């Protein structure tokens, strides 16, 4: 209340940033990366021509990693170049889902200090108006303008700093998931048996 009307959008940005951070944290915490053992089990099933078991194991890996492996297994009989394109397409489709709503956190980190600065300017204008009307003799007449100037700046930084840290942490988490998908895709491509015919020794 002492901070003035600018406090409303600052608090709304802070609440939105906290809610989105919780949503993204829960979403990414549920994503499981494929371990070396998972990949070996899938490759062993494919080697034994047990495609259904390999697909069942891949679908048990929750998240975009399992979807990528499942798509690759469905095309296991194709050429490696085609399988690689299918997996890369799954990676591209997973990236916007991982980065969804993250610009709102970045917006909170960038906008909250500016709103705090706006409140500071507004509060100082009110303070000078009070000085013009009543003079500077009574400090209590200036208290509302000064408090508005200081409180909005403080709360703008209180919202911006955690939002910036959360955005950096979640971005790092998303990049880690995409990097894990890429490593899994390379290992899968290198591990599956080649479908191309071997060149003849008499050629």
């Amino acid at each position: 209340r002492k901070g003035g009307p600018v406090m409303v959008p600052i608090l709304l940005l802070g609440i939105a940033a906290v809610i989105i951070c919780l949503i993204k944290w829960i979403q990414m915490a549920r994503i499981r990366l494929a371990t070396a053992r998972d990949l070996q089990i899938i490759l062993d099933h494919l080697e034994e021509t047990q495609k259904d078991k390999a697909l069942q194991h891949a679908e048990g890996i929750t998240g975009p990693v399992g979807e990528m492996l499942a798509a690759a297994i469905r095309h296991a009989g194709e050429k490696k170049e085609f399988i690689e394109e299918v997996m890369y397409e799954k990676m591209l489709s997973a990236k916007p889902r991982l980065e969804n709503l993250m610009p709102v956190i970045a917006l909170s980190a960038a906008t909250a200090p500016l709103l705090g600065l706006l409140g500071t300017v507004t509060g100082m204008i009110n303070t000078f108006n009070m000085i013009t009307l009543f003079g500077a003799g009574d400090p209590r007449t200036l208290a509302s303008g000064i408090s508005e100037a200081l409180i909005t700046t403080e709360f703008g930084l209180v919202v911006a700093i955690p939002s910036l840290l959360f955005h950096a942490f979640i971005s790092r988490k998303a990049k880690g998931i995409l990097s894990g998908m890429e490593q899994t895709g390379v290992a899968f491509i290198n591990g599956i048996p080649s479908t191309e015919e071997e060149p003849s020794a008499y050629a």
Side-chain angles (χ1 to χ4, degrees):
R1 188 166 59 248
K2 291 181 180 180
V6 182
M7 285 293 295
V8 175
I10 293 177
L11 291 176
L12 289 177
L13 284 174
I15 293 171
V18 170
I19 293 174
I20 292 173
C21 285
L22 291 175
I23 292 173
K24 298 302 294 183
W25 172 256
I26 294 173
Q27 176 189 358
M28 293 188 182
R30 295 175 61 184
I31 295 175
R32 186 169 75 86
L33 295 177
T35 62
R37 184 175 179 275
D38 291 325
L39 195 58
Q40 189 60 50
I41 291 173
I42 292 173
L43 292 175
D44 288 343
H45 287 321
L46 290 177
E47 187 72 25
E48 298 168 359
T49 64
Q50 295 178 340
K51 192 174 181 179
D52 293 338
K53 290 185 178 180
L55 186 61
Q56 182 180 2
H57 189 87
E59 291 175 345
I61 302 174
T62 57
V65 182
E67 295 174 4
M68 181 186 69
L69 287 173
I73 292 169
R74 293 188 185 97
H75 297 86
E78 305 290 339
K79 293 184 178 181
K80 288 187 176 182
E81 291 80 5
F82 181 75
I83 300 174
E84 187 175 358
E85 291 179 0
V86 170
M87 299 178 81
Y88 184 66
E89 182 182 356
K90 287 294 181 181
M91 285 183 59
L92 291 179
S93 64
K95 185 176 181 181
R97 283 186 294 166
L98 292 173
E99 296 178 350
N100 186 31
L101 298 178
M102 286 175 57
V104 179
I105 305 176
L107 180 66
S108 299
T111 308
L114 297 178
L115 289 173
L117 181 61
L118 176 62
T120 300
V121 174
T122 305
M124 294 307 297
I125 290 174
N126 292 336
T127 301
F128 287 125
N129 289 335
M130 291 293 182
I131 292 175
T132 302
L133 294 175
F134 303 104
D138 188 4
R140 288 179 297 181
T141 60
L142 310 177
S144 61
I146 295 174
S147 65
E148 180 180 346
L150 297 178
I151 290 174
T152 53
T153 303
E154 178 185 6
F155 271 85
L157 294 175
V158 166
V159 171
I161 294 173
S163 297
L164 186 62
L165 294 175
F166 288 148
H167 183 268
F169 178 77
I170 294 175
S171 297
R172 183 181 179 90
K173 183 73 173 176
K175 289 179 181 178
I177 293 172
L178 292 173
S179 177
M181 291 180 67
E182 185 176 357
Q183 293 177 1
T184 301
V186 171
F188 182 86
I189 291 296
N190 293 334
I192 58 175
S194 177
T195 57
E196 298 179 359
E197 295 182 358
E198 294 292 336
S200 174
Y202 300 99

